[in-house]
Amino acid sequence: MKDVKPDVKSIFIIGNAFGYSTIFLSLLFPEAKVVAMDAGIEGEDNMLGISLTQSIIKKHRLNAAVEFAFSPKDNHSVVSKHFSTPIDLVFIDGLHTNEQLLLDFQGMQNYCDENTIWVMHDVINWHMQNAFAWIANCLSSTHISRILYRTQSGMGLAVPQHDQNAIELLEAFSEDDKIITDLIKTGRYYDRKYLRMLKRYTPNFIKKGIKKCLKKP
């Protein structure tokens, strides 16, 4: 089977949580240095996740590290501590809003170049298509960007135009834009159709009961 794994030697992760992505990427790219940063803003469990990741890294002697830090405020100090060259892969999995995704991307641009692979988690699930579209446009002269509709959470991926291995991975998990547009139109048609049927055949006493419940404070 042809190996299409991109040549990656440095990985930077924004958002560690319990460390699944940090450990997974470290195992997937054993020759790469993996550095994750996490702000720990989600409470005690979040801090436990940072500690757990650090202990797994130490126990299994992985070439990885986790820093307690905020993006984009602390990006320079963390990046300069661990890397001296442009980063090969950036995985953004921090606060899931359009605004923060843009801040995280912009905060890493100075440490990346035309060879960097950008991965953005949960774009579809957390409705971050607007931010992803802006990022795709920003990278359009050097990268090919797609939303990976064939992944569970609809990740966003931007790969260098010259990296054929990365492009093959992108194409394997993305979908033709026309097909997506047609599927959305079809879904909206049947949503309206079945909503009309539901209204038509639902007994009045059920409708009145629902309205009564909705009016309660």
Side-chain angles (χ1 to χ4, degrees), residues 99-114:
E99 294 77 13
Q100 188 62 43
L101 178 54
L102 289 178
L103 288 173
D104 290 338
F105 169 75
Q106 292 168 335
M108 288 304 299
Q109 282 185 282
N110 289 337
Y111 313 105
C112 302
D113 60 15
E114 68 276 5

Side-chain angles (χ1 to χ4, degrees), residues 191-207:
D191 279 347
R192 291 191 294 268
K193 178 180 178 180
Y194 288 118
L195 182 58
R196 288 195 297 268
M197 291 177 60
L198 184 63
K199 289 180 179 179
R200 180 178 178 181
Y201 292 108
T202 300
N204 286 331
F205 75 91
I206 293 180
K207 293 179 183 177

